[in-house]
């Protein structure tokens, strides 16, 4: 039995990108023999300023969405990162193992910091070290993510290798990303070159998992396309990022391959295709939105689910991080 770990930032409502790229994979992995640990990464969230009341609200909201998508707290461990101190303790050790040159190569930091590199928080810079600690604190070996996280996972392996080398140990195992090929990168509805993101200023660029039917239909109707009819072959989509994205979404949500979708819609304009796409999304997402609202109606129960998850998470992570602290040379805590 292996252990699976993954995380999501509670910084907004989960998008269709989060769902198709990661969450639906988390749900499916619960049926494997592996132990699943899923984390609402509030320590990561505050690397960019968050209004405290909004952060509390959004952490509960993300918990509700994950439960509504099918994360089952009886089979998986679901918790908020700040409730398990092992994450921050191992992250500090990794801050001292990781190299500035390695962090300087992180494309996500460059994207998020933009031109204002001097003004962002130091937390944003060392974010990938914390992410490595999240995974290694559980000796997790499988990490289901979308492909924007792959560079961070490579860094997590580099950090573990250097730790093992520096302290003459084989304590931290290698980790393996689990990426769903077809939907590893769902793109913005307004710009096929940008990924769909909870933090995009335009709400029209994304489908939120809690959007109602009318909203979903309107966003898909307005989604950017091109004037050509849909082609017969997948390779004819290579220069048409918006069309490719919408076909990919339709394929993922209906459980088909892109070539099967094109087989059905080849020669058609975007109008009729968009109608079918909106119908499929509404059928899939409406029950998730309804269940999310049910969970959110009882915030105390949500808090209890996360707190129980945190106790189970700490029972795994604590001895692993205590051993890392011993390897580094810290005296026992007593
Ligand atoms: P976050 O919160 O940005 O996204 C959560 C998951 O959703 C995936 N994802 C996407 N997949 C396909 N298309 C998209 N447009 C899209 N947008 C997001 C992400 O790849 C991710 O799997 N750093 C992480 C959180 C994290 C983590 C971890 C993940 C912290 N510690 C340890 C794995 C293991 C993040 O910001 O994810």
């Amino acid at each position: 039995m292996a252990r699976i770990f993954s995380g999501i930032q509670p910084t907004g409502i989960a998008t269709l990108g989060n769902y198709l790229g990661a969450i639906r994979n988390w749900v499916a992995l619960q049926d494997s023999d592996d132990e699943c640990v899923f984390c609402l990464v509030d320590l990561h969230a505050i690397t960019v300023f968050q209004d405290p009341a909004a952060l509390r609200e959004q952490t509960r909201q993300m918990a509700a969405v994950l439960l509504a998508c099918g994360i089952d707290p009886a089979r998986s461990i679901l918790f908020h990162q700040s409730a398990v101190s092992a994450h921050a303790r191992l992250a500090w050790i990794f801050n001292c193992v990781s190299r500035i040159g390695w962090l300087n190569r992180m494309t996500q930091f460059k994207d998020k910091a933009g031109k204002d590199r001097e003004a962002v928080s130091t937390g944003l810079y060392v974010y990938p070290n914390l992410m490595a600690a999240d995974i290694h604190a559980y000796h997790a070996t499988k990490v289901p993510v979308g492909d924007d996280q792959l560079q961070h996972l490579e860094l997590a392996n580099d950090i573990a290798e250097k730790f093992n080398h520096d302290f003459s140990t084989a304590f931290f195992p290698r980790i393996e990303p689990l990426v769903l090929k077809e939907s590893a990168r769902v793109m913005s509805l307004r710009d096929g070159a940008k990924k769909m993101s909870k933090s995009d200023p335009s709400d029209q660029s994304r489908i939120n998992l809690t959007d109602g039917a009318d909203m979903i239909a309107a966003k898909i109707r307005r989604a950017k396309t091109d004037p050509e009819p849909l082609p017969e072959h997948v390779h004819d989509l290579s220069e048409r990022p918006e069309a490719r994205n919408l076909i990919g979404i339709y394929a993922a949500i209906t459980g088909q391959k892109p070539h099967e979708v094109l087989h059905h819609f080849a020669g058609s304009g975007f109008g009729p295709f968009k109608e079918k796409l909106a119908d499929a999304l509404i059928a899939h997402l409406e029950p998730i939105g309804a269940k999310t609202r049910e969970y959110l109606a009882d915030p105390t129960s949500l808090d209890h689910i996360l707190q129980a998850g945190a106790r189970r998470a700490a029972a795994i992570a604590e001895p692993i991080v205590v051993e890392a602290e011993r390897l580094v040379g810290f005296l026992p805590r007593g």
Side-chain angles (χ1 to χ4, degrees):
M1 187 192 80
R3 189 169 289 135
I4 291 171
F5 183 98
S6 199
I8 188 164
Q9 294 200 60
T11 46
I13 298 162
T15 68
L16 185 65
N18 297 129
Y19 180 70
L20 295 179
I23 300 171
R24 75 185 167 122
N25 203 12
W26 301 3
V27 173
L29 287 165
Q30 296 182 118
D31 292 329
S32 70
D33 290 333
D34 298 332
E35 181 179 31
C36 294
V37 184
F38 300 123
C39 184
L40 306 173
V41 294
D42 49 6
L43 299 181
H44 282 95
I46 63 163
T47 55
V48 173
F49 179 78
Q50 304 292 328
D51 173 75
L55 180 60
R56 269 187 285 275
E57 193 63 31
Q58 287 174 358
T59 307
R60 290 195 185 104
Q61 192 155 34
M62 191 59 83
V65 166
L66 293 180
L67 294 166
C69 288
I71 297 300
D72 173 2
R75 288 190 290 161
S76 298
I77 298 177
L78 176 67
F79 71 107
H80 50 314
Q81 188 183 27
S82 57
V84 178
S85 68
H87 293 251
R89 280 155 47 210
L90 187 59
W92 181 257
I93 293 174
F94 284 175
N95 283 342
C96 303
V97 172
S98 183
R99 304 289 94 180
I100 287 193
W102 300 355
L103 294 178
N104 283 343
R105 286 197 286 275
M106 295 295 114
T107 54
Q108 193 148 317
F109 175 76
K110 289 184 206 166
D111 290 348
K112 284 199 178 174
K115 290 198 190 79
D116 220 3
R117 275 180 81 140
E118 301 286 312
V120 295
S121 77
T122 48
L124 190 67
Y125 190 61
V126 295
Y127 178 117
N129 298 341
L130 174 59
M131 187 165 154
D134 295 340
I135 301 162
H136 289 305
Y138 296 84
H139 277 179
T141 51
K142 298 180 183 174
V143 186
V145 287
D147 78 356
D148 60 330
Q149 298 301 317
L150 290 179
Q151 196 187 28
H152 290 159
L153 298 191
E154 279 168 31
L155 182 86
N157 274 328
D158 291 344
I159 291 174
E161 207 173 287
K162 183 160 172 14
F163 180 99
N164 288 346
H165 176 265
D166 289 353
F167 299 102
S168 308
T169 174
F171 188 58
F172 289 118
R174 277 194 77 73
I175 62 181
E176 180 202 341
L178 303 180
V179 179
L180 290 178
K181 226 173 87 213
E182 308 286 356
S183 54
R185 184 173 284 261
V186 178
M187 309 312 280
S188 155
L189 300 178
R190 310 300 303 164
D191 178 353
K194 263 173 52 185
K195 79 166 183 176
M196 184 180 285
S197 162
K198 345 177 181 71
S199 54
D200 193 299
S202 164
D203 191 57
Q204 296 298 316
S205 70
R206 61 179 161 262
I207 304 284
N208 305 304
L209 294 191
T210 51
D211 282 346
D214 293 348
M215 180 72 99
I216 293 174
K219 284 179 176 175
I220 294 297
R221 234 183 354 259
R222 281 185 221 128
K224 189 173 164 200
T225 48
D226 57 46
E228 302 295 320
L230 285 162
E232 240 169 87
H233 300 293
V234 175
H235 60 79
D236 293 326
L237 290 172
S238 56
E239 304 293 318
R240 300 173 65 185
E242 284 84 14
R244 190 177 55 207
N245 188 40
L246 295 183
I247 293 287
I249 292 173
Y250 189 84
I253 211 85
T254 57
Q256 300 177 65
K257 298 278 173 219
H259 73 85
E260 293 169 324
V261 179
L262 284 183
H263 184 70
H264 195 84
F265 288 101
S268 149
F270 279 95
F273 169 69
K274 280 180 163 182
E275 246 173 68
K276 291 275 186 257
L277 173 59
D279 289 348
L281 283 169
I282 291 165
H284 201 94
L285 299 186
E286 259 200 330
I288 293 179
K291 279 196 205 137
T292 301
R293 284 185 285 281
E294 279 174 33
Y295 281 112
L296 277 174
D298 187 357
T300 314
S301 296
L302 281 176
D303 289 2
H304 286 159
I305 289 173
L306 295 180
Q307 286 158 5
R311 284 192 290 276
R312 290 167 65 201
I316 300 169
E318 191 59 31
I320 293 174
V321 173
V322 164
E323 176 60 9
E325 288 168 336
R326 190 193 69 77
L327 286 165
V328 166
F330 297 165
L331 284 174
R333 342 178 96 216

